[in-house]
Each structure stands twice: as C-alpha cells, then as structure tokens.
C-alpha cells in the first residue's frame, strides 16, 4: 500500500510534465528518499547537487527528480505521516577522507600497501573459493603496483607457487577458506621448516568439509594453531572489522618478513562481505619496516640467526657465494645441511618456537573496554567485536560491572592477558564455533572461562550476548 501511494504521489507531482510514464515511475525512488530524509532530519541540498551532476545531460530529468525529492520531503513535513522522526547526530569520527570498504578489499589493499612499504613485488598464488575469491579479483587490478596474481589449478598449487615466490624474494600471499586450509597444511608446514615469509589469509566459512560456503563461521582457530604435523607454531592474527582488515594485512606482512615465518590471518565471511566507512590512511603514516636480503658471503650460514628476532637471513636464489640447501628435512642448526642428530633436532624445534613466542614482546598492551577489574570480562576475537562491544555497553549502562577485551593476536597471545583474566570473577567467551578460544584460554591460564557458542552460519545478535551476560551476573 505504501508503494502504491508513492507511485501516485510521484505521478501527481509530475503531472504537468511530458515525461513518459516509465520515467515518472522511476522518479518515485527520489520521493521515497525525500521522505526518508525528512524522517531522519537529513538535509537534501547535497542530494540535489548530486542529482544535478548525475543527470546533467538531461535537464528535464534533473528538474523532475529534484521536484519529486522535495515533494517527498515536504509530504513528510506537512502530513506528519510518521508519529516519530529521528535526528541523527554527526558521527564522532576522525576528520579525513573516507570510503566504503569491505573486508576482502581491505585485505587486498593492506597487502599492496605493505609490499610498497617493503619495496618488493607482491605475488598471490590462489585458487578461487568462497568467500575468499574477491581478494584475488581485487589484487588482479593492481599490476601497476608490481602485483602478480596466479590463479592456480588447485589449493596446493596456489600455496606452492606462493612459497616459491617467497623463496625468490617476493611478498608472498595465498588466500583460501576452511577446506583450502586443509589442503595447504603440508606446504604451510614446509614454510615453517624452511623459515620463509608467507601470509595465509583464511576467510572462514561454515564447515566441516564444503559445509556452508556462503555462511560465516570462525571455527578454524584450532586448525590454524595445530593443523600441521609436529610442533610447528605459526603467528595468527585476526581482524575485528572490515576496515581493520587493512591494518591486519599490513601487520601480517611485517611480521612475516621480520621474523621469517608464515603468518595466518583469520578473517571470515561476515567481515569479508561486510562494509564500513574507512579512513584512508596517508602513506607516510603507515609503519615503516625495512626488508633486507643477505648479500655478503663473509660469515654466512643459512640459519645464522638475528639475535633479537631469531630470524634467519633471507637470500635471493642465485646470489653469488650464498648457495645453500633448502627443503623439508630437518637441518643442521647453522649450515642447513640435512641432520638427524637428536640434540640438533631439539635445538631447531625450540628455536623455532622461541622465535614465534618472541613476537609477544612487540604486541601492544591489551586494551580493556571498561573497568580494569570487576565481576565479568567478555573476551572475543574476530568478527564478534561489534556485537560484543554493543552488548557490553548496553549492560554497563545498567550500572553492572562488565568489561570487554578483544584479541587481535591469537598466537602468541598478549603477554599481559593472563594478568587481566585474573582480575575478573567470571570470563565469558562468545565464539561462532563450539568453543575454541575458550579451550586455549583454559589451557594457557587455568581460568574457568565459559563459552557462548553459536554455529548457525549467522553472526551474534547483541541481545544474545546481553542475555548471557545478564544471567551470569545474576548467578
């Protein structure tokens, strides 16, 4: 009925014109926009300027659309068709230039920005898979920035090509979702062994197996942590909003090249396809990181490590006098030659673990939203950020003692996290899985964390988290 009214009102507004009925019917969208602008107290001058620019080649359409826009606005004003109207205050955001961005686009731009900062070409080896394919599509448009995209015949070929690019001295990326992570596991483990920088972006979806390709989930955390043979730790970071994907992608490249290690980025379908306004950063404001290749043969050993990071040197194949062996078999601690010596194997295993654990030293102090101690702490990661933050704020407005911590670094965990958990009487961990981070927190910190788990292919509702917080505080 409302749609029919708009059609009639639009036709009445333009009855003195000679526009075709089909064109008049299309103008009704601007009547609805004008009415909506009145409802939310939004000025229409900017819309009028846009109409004038958009239809400047057809002056009669400019006049018609502006007339209908104003008619819709005035209709709301004079008839008070709605009992209530809503004034939306200006957003409290930093000044600057913004654009709408999705999570996948942000990841792609973050990878390009990091490669530019490093001064290296970017190589993406990937196989199309929902919901990660858009990263491949996006990066394919940046050839002018030294980006090379390779659509492989399968997931294994994609990650193998990416690891080869890392060996050759490029910023190497591979993108996938849960099923592809299973297939890539062996090559990721090879990257752990040969200690080359490789970023694996896992855009999680419902599983297991092919599962729910178009639905969201965050159930790959334990696979990212432990889904390789032997003890093969890998840094893991997770974005919390679509715009945050840019910064996480940038950080993943920085960590991978600084510590000579594969890094896993855990995004998901909700972030990948979700969008938000993004403050476009100035290139000069992005963190600096310098990538250097070993060229000096004096004192060279392929696994002679940097004292601060425990990373081995990055050597481009063909560098004179720096030839060395590389492969998946265990290596001698310095020479890289195959070694089965028991003590050497333990030494290599421990130094690789210490290298990843050492990343915790540069993780910023954990931000606590709310009081630093109290009755309940809600711990989240990934795309649950929005629902958790809104739920915690709602409960806090009721005067209740609840705080929120959201983790970006999932391996290694922040060094101050254990102390923070100990300051709260109860810990709640909402996750879109059967309880994966909660297992990690219990194992690492012996805290009696409680999981709130949803596995429906849908994100959390704020009300679901509010209800659980309320019940826990009342217990």
């Amino acid at each position: 009925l409302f749609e029919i009214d708009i059609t009639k009102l639009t036709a009445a507004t333009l009855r003195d014109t000679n526009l075709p009925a089909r064109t008049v019917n299309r103008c009704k969208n601007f009547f609805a926009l004008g009415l909506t602008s009145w409802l939310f107290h939004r000025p229409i001058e900017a819309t009028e300027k846009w109409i004038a620019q958009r239809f400047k080649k057809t002056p009669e359409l400019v006049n018609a659309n502006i007339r209908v826009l104003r008619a819709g606005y005035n209709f709301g004003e004079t008839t008070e068709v709605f009992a209530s109207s809503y004034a939306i205050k200006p957003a409290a955001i930093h000044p600057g230039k913004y654009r709408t961005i999705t999570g996948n686009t942000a990841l792609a731009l973050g990878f390009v920005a990091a490669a530019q900062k490093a001064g290296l070409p970017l190589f993406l080896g990937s196989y199309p898979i929902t919901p990660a394919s858009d990263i491949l599509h996006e990066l394919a448009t940046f050839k002018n920035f030294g980006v090379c995209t390779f659509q492989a015949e399968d997931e294994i070929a994609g990650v193998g090509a990416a690891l080869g690019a890392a060996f050759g001295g490029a910023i190497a990326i591979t993108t996938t979702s849960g099923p592809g992570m299973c297939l890539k596991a062996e090559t990721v483990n090879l990257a752990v062994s040969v200690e080359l920088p490789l970023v694996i972006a896992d855009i999680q979806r419902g599983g297991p197996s092919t599962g729910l390709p178009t639905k969201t989930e965050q159930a790959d955390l334990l696979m990212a942590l432990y889904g390789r043979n032997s003890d093969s730790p890998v840094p893991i970071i997770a974005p919390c909003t679509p715009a945050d994907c840019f910064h996480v992608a940038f950080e993943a490249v920085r960590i991978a090249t600084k510590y000579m290690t594969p890094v896993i980025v855990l995004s998901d379908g909700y972030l990948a396809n979700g969008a938000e306004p993004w403050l476009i950063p100035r290139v000069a404001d992005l963190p600096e990181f310098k990538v250097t290749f070993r060229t000096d043969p004096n004192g060279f050993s392929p696994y002679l490590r940097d004292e601060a990071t425990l990373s081995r040197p990055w050597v481009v194949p063909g560098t004179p006098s720096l030839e060395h062996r590389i492969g998946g078999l265990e290596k001698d601690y310095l020479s890289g030659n195959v070694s089965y010596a028991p003590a050497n194997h333990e030494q290599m295993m421990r130094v690789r673990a210490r290298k990843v654990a050492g990343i915790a030293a540069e993780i910023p102090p954990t931000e606590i939203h709310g009081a630093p101690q109290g009755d309940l702490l809600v711990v989240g990661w990934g795309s649950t950020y929005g629902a958790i933050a809104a739920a915690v704020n709602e409960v806090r407005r009721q005067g209740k003692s609840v705080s929120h911590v959201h983790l970006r670094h999932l391996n290694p965990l922040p060094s101050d996290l254990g102390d923070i958990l100990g300051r709260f009487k109860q810990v709640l961990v909402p996750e879109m899985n059967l309880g994966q981070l909660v297992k990690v927190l219990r194992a690492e910190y012996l805290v009696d964390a409680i999981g709130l788990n949803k596995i429906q292919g849908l994100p959390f509702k704020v009300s679901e988290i509010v209800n659980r917080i309320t019940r826990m505080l009342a217990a």
Side-chain angles (χ1 to χ4, degrees), residues 39-174:
L39 178 63
F40 291 99
H41 291 235
R42 305 305 300 164
I44 59 174
E45 288 77 13
T47 307
E48 292 178 352
K49 291 180 180 179
W50 180 86
I51 291 173
Q53 177 65 27
R54 175 67 176 81
F55 300 100
K56 62 183 179 181
K57 294 182 179 180
T58 315
E60 59 269 26
L61 282 182
V62 173
N63 178 58
N65 286 326
I66 290 178
R67 284 179 61 182
V68 172
L69 176 73
R70 292 174 178 174
Y73 190 94
N74 294 331
F75 180 81
E77 179 71 24
T78 56
T79 64
E80 297 183 357
V81 63
F82 296 110
S84 301
S85 62
Y86 307 90
I88 300 179
K89 298 179 181 179
I93 58 178
H94 295 289
K97 187 174 183 179
Y98 284 78
R99 60 161 285 184
T100 299
I101 199 166
T102 65
N104 276 350
T105 298
L107 283 174
L109 293 178
F111 292 141
V112 174
Q116 290 294 299
K117 278 289 187 177
L120 296 176
L122 173 66
F123 179 89
L124 171 69
S126 185
Y127 180 76
I129 184 171
T130 302
S133 299
D134 285 341
I135 304 173
L136 171 62
H137 303 159
E138 189 74 27
L139 285 175
T141 67
F142 288 102
K143 295 181 178 66
N144 56 318
F145 285 98
V147 175
C148 177
T149 53
F150 170 56
Q151 181 175 317
E153 66 269 27
D154 57 39
E155 296 280 4
I156 299 172
V159 69
L163 184 57
F167 181 47
I171 300 298
I173 313 292
T174 188

Side-chain angles (χ1 to χ4, degrees), residues 211-234:
L212 305 173
T214 62
K215 302 299 181 182
T216 193
E217 201 168 83
Q218 50 176 180
D220 294 350
L221 175 58
L222 294 183
M223 176 168 62
L225 282 168
Y226 308 118
R228 296 165 298 281
N229 64 297
S230 189
D231 291 306
S232 50
V234 168

Side-chain angles (χ1 to χ4, degrees), residues 382-402:
S383 66
T384 57
Y385 173 80
I388 293 175
V392 168
N393 288 337
E394 182 175 329
V395 176
R396 288 182 63 210
R397 283 194 293 268
Q398 301 171 12
K400 297 178 181 178
S401 175
V402 58

Side-chain angles (χ1 to χ4, degrees), residues 181 188 192 198-202 204 218-228 232-239 248-249 251-253 255-256 261-267 355-357 359-360 363 381-382 407-414 436-437 440:
M181 283 293 286
V188 175
V192 172
L198 171 67
V199 177
I200 308 98
D202 176 10
Q204 302 164 97
Q218 50 176 180
D220 294 350
L221 175 58
L222 294 183
M223 176 168 62
L225 282 168
Y226 308 118
R228 296 165 298 281
S232 50
V234 168
I236 303 169
I237 53 179
V248 163
E251 177 71 356
V253 174
I255 291 175
T261 178
V263 177
I264 294 175
V265 173
L266 287 181
S267 180
K355 178 176 69 172
V356 173
I359 298 171
I363 297 176
W381 67 278
L407 300 178
R408 168 179 283 185
H409 293 266
L410 298 166
N411 191 47
L413 291 164
Q436 298 193 13
L437 178 62
V440 174

